[in-house]
Amino acid sequence: MRFLRLLFWLFVVLLAALFLGRNWSDVTVDLWGNVQADIKLPLLLLIAFLVGLLPTAIGWRIRWWRMKRSQQLARPPLPSSPPPPFADDPRS
């Protein structure tokens, strides 16, 4: 199973390297007004991917925080010290 996982990631890295090598060209992006920026295409795609991933990551983090909080609220608090024994308790 480890071999298949390694083979998969090698394949992904190879595809990424081929994409980067064949598309390493400048792209002109119109920002606002007459302002333009020249940026490499793979870098532009990486930025677009990360911007698109940001709302999903924030939503996942909020969901994780809520789940953690609900688990803490549902759990009864642990006593800080054991209760004192009764005066007529034969074990003490």
Side-chain angles (χ1 to χ4, degrees):
M1 195 65 176
R2 284 177 107 177
F3 174 72
L4 291 176
R5 186 172 36 184
L6 176 68
L7 192 62
F8 170 75
W9 284 113
L10 285 175
F11 182 70
V12 169
V13 168
L14 178 67
L15 283 178
L18 285 172
F19 176 79
L20 289 173
R22 293 181 185 258
N23 292 304
W24 198 256
S25 59
D26 287 335
V27 176
T28 303
V29 178
D30 295 326
L31 298 174
W32 54 85
N34 291 333
V35 179
Q36 294 179 340
D38 289 333
I39 188 168
K40 299 291 184 184
L41 181 62
L43 185 59
L44 179 64
L45 290 176
L46 178 65
I47 291 169
F49 174 76
L50 292 176
V51 167
L53 185 67
L54 189 63
T56 304
I58 290 172
W60 180 83
R61 187 72 172 168
I62 290 171
R63 186 179 308 145
W64 180 79
W65 177 76
R66 284 182 183 168
M67 185 176 63
K68 212 53 166 154
R69 187 167 179 251
S70 68
Q71 287 176 353
Q72 288 176 352
L73 291 177
R75 213 180 304 158
L78 295 173
S80 58
S81 62
F86 293 110
D88 58 329
D89 191 7
R91 292 180 285 162
S92 59

